[in-house]
Amino acid sequence: MTSQSLSARKVKNVTMIGLTVIGTILALIPLFSIFAYVIARGMPAINIDFFTELPKPLGEEGGGMVNAIVGTLIVVGISGLIGIPVGIMSGIFLSEYGRNRFGRFISFLTDVLLGVPSIVVGIFVYVLLVLAMGGFSAYAGGIALSILMIPAVTRTTEEMLKLIPSHIREAGLALGLPKWRVILFIVLPSATRGIVTGVMLAIARVMGETAPLLFTAFGNRYWHSSLSDPIATLPVQIFTYAISPYKEWQAQAWAGALTLIVIVLIFNILARVITYRKNH
Amino acid sequence: MGIEVNNLNAWYGDLHAIKDINLNIPKNQVTALIGPSGCGKSTFLRCLNRMHEVIEGARVKGEILVDGEDIYGSNVDPVTIRYRIGMVFQKPNPFPTMSIFDNVAAGLKLNGMRNKKKIREIVEQSLEAAGLWDEVSDRLDKNAMGLSGGQQQRLCIARTLAVNPEIVLMDEPTSALDPISTHKIEELVHRLKENYTIVIVTHNMQQAARVSDNTAFFLNGEVIEYNTTKHIFSNPSDQRTEDYITGRFG
């Protein structure tokens, strides 16, 4: 090897590393700009009232979004109650029992479902549930979001389980354990961290969904009286306020956006803490 | 519990991996299976506790009598067979999320044993039997992945012994280990044959000579020669066996 080729290689090496660093920075710029901008615009409208009070009628000062914050948690909660178990179970099926034609078919459908635009899911639930039940409701909103959540949870669960090496499964089977116990008590716990991360991403994704909620949860300026009634959610509230011509409302929309980001962040941190504790 | 294998055939999809094997494996002895890579010895081993069929597209035909009962009988549950016939794998494979204690207790707990005192007793006995107790008794609640490779393998042996099998199958149990750990496992195999029937697959000729009472030489899915280890290594009847043992091929 000549010294010239070595120095040429070094130059190439530095160039390529430089390019990856530049790429990373380029990818992070929008992220941090969004954070910075949302914080800058949102902070002024954040105060105790924002988290404790209902929206004030137009023209009155103050008011908050407490109904929308709670509403988002409720609607996402409903979607999680449906979407997480169904998604995890489908994921288990695809990874552990689905290595056949039927499994591949389901897997294909999951991919299709993953690509369905969220507004289409909204219309679907609107026609099927909202019209049938006679009105917008928290349930309809939750179900619409769960339809978006299921394929995402299914996919990550499947991928995470497939990462568990087969010799772990064999070790369980060779102990004379039935397959379902091996899956439930040995394979699944080994994949917890990945699955929880996937579930969190799915939750974060649906938490910001607006389009399907317009047709299903609709929105509400007051507290919802029951889960079968229209309910306020942060994304819809942000949307309504942001497109309004009033300065006050626009400021509150930014505050709502900031709140939404923080909620998602809290969920992510919680998930990390829980899975970290489990593994240490 | 002796094992009697009659006309055993096994496939992976279209690949005929095991061809018409007949073998009698005596009780409370160590039987070694040797042969070049891909000769079917591991597949044969996996047939003995119905682990072969776990692999997609794998099939078995034939009869394996354990204690006079065909483990491939139509009303035999493979899960029960695996409970009676334990297996140690080539790569140490402790359950990654479990503590040392829970790894050994897994077979008991997950099969529904609730008596904590009894479980403790069995775990201690099994670790003792696997020669690991003195090394881990002060850190039973630590994660099993923190052990060295050799310790992990002995942990896997303890885990297998904990469910009290009649037969222990070992698939190249030392191929991933250093000489000292290998030596410990070989000693262990020696001690275990008092209570268990052992079948061990090995690539290491010296190991077969050291630990086994009988040796079967596999080639291309067939048993070429099966005899006492002494006979196989000192005076093989088949030229191919001699070639393999002396290192002329494989």
Side-chain angles (χ1 to χ4, degrees), chain A residues 79-101:
Chain A
S79 76
L81 281 181
I82 304 167
I84 296 170
V86 172
I88 289 183
M89 284 192 276
S90 333
I92 292 174
F93 171 77
L94 287 180
S95 158
E96 308 297 317
Y97 296 95
R99 314 230 163 146
N100 48 40
R101 200 172 253 219

Side-chain angles (χ1 to χ4, degrees), chain B residues 50-168:
Chain B
R50 299 197 61 171
M51 283 297 287
H52 176 65
E53 66 208 56
V54 169
I55 295 167
E56 206 180 331
R59 277 182 306 132
V60 182
K61 222 178 108 192
E63 194 182 54
I64 295 179
L65 303 175
V66 173
D67 207 11
E69 185 201 359
D70 184 11
I71 64 167
Y72 282 96
S74 55
N75 51 1
V76 175
D77 181 2
V79 171
T80 343
I81 295 301
R82 293 178 201 135
Y83 193 79
R84 289 173 54 199
I85 307 177
M87 188 164 211
V88 178
F89 296 83
Q90 182 174 0
K91 254 177 70 185
N93 54 358
F95 301 131
T97 50
M98 294 186 195
S99 67
I100 293 170
F101 183 92
D102 284 340
N103 256 283
V104 183
L108 304 169
K109 277 188 182 169
L110 297 183
N111 266 321
M113 189 185 273
R114 291 279 166 269
N115 185 339
K116 287 214 167 122
K117 213 179 129 213
K118 186 101 193 271
I119 292 178
R120 249 206 115 70
E121 246 170 56
I122 296 177
V123 168
E124 187 174 335
Q125 282 168 8
S126 309
L127 284 169
E128 198 85 67
L132 193 60
W133 176 253
D134 294 333
E135 289 161 60
V136 300
S137 59
D138 58 337
R139 47 170 170 159
L140 291 174
D141 57 338
K142 292 280 184 315
N143 190 289
M145 301 313 280
L147 298 173
S148 75
Q151 289 173 323
Q152 285 187 14
Q153 192 62 303
R154 278 179 284 149
L155 181 72
C156 292
I157 294 175
R159 179 177 68 187
T160 303
L161 299 183
V163 296
N164 194 25
E166 299 149 29
I167 298 165
V168 178

Side-chain angles (χ1 to χ4, degrees), chain A residues 103-271:
Chain A
R104 280 192 291 275
F105 180 61
I106 299 289
S107 192
F108 172 69
L109 288 187
T110 305
D111 281 338
V112 172
L113 196 55
L114 208 52
V116 171
S118 57
I119 195 157
V120 175
V121 172
I123 297 175
F124 170 74
V125 174
Y126 175 76
V127 171
L128 228 67
L129 260 176
V130 175
L131 294 184
M133 280 168 60
F136 303 107
S137 67
Y139 290 126
I143 288 168
L145 294 189
S146 74
I147 294 176
L148 294 170
M149 206 186 231
I150 288 170
V153 176
T154 302
R155 202 24 103 236
T156 28
T157 306
E158 183 193 354
E159 295 305 327
M160 291 305 140
L161 290 179
K162 279 185 173 164
L163 284 182
I164 305 299
S166 61
H167 63 77
I168 297 293
R169 292 179 181 82
E170 293 196 339
L173 291 174
L175 284 177
L177 299 173
K179 187 170 177 179
W180 68 271
R181 287 204 175 161
V182 173
I183 294 169
L184 203 58
F185 298 111
I186 295 168
V187 179
L188 212 47
S190 313
T192 320
R193 193 189 282 236
I195 294 175
V196 169
T197 309
V199 166
M200 280 306 138
L201 283 174
I203 289 177
R205 193 209 147 180
V206 301
M207 206 170 252
E209 281 293 346
T210 319
L213 292 179
L214 289 169
F215 302 96
T216 52
F218 188 65
N220 193 335
R221 293 193 55 77
Y222 308 97
W223 283 109
H224 55 281
S225 40
S226 80
L227 296 182
S228 326
D229 283 316
I231 188 167
T233 54
L234 271 175
V236 175
Q237 195 86 336
I238 293 167
F239 172 71
T240 319
Y241 274 29
I243 60 167
S244 77
Y246 316 109
K247 278 256 144 43
E248 182 111 326
W249 279 19
Q250 285 167 9
Q252 287 214 334
W254 283 108
L258 181 58
T259 312
L260 196 56
I261 291 178
V262 171
I263 292 177
V264 169
L265 210 63
I266 290 174
F267 266 94
N268 269 304
I269 293 169
L270 273 181

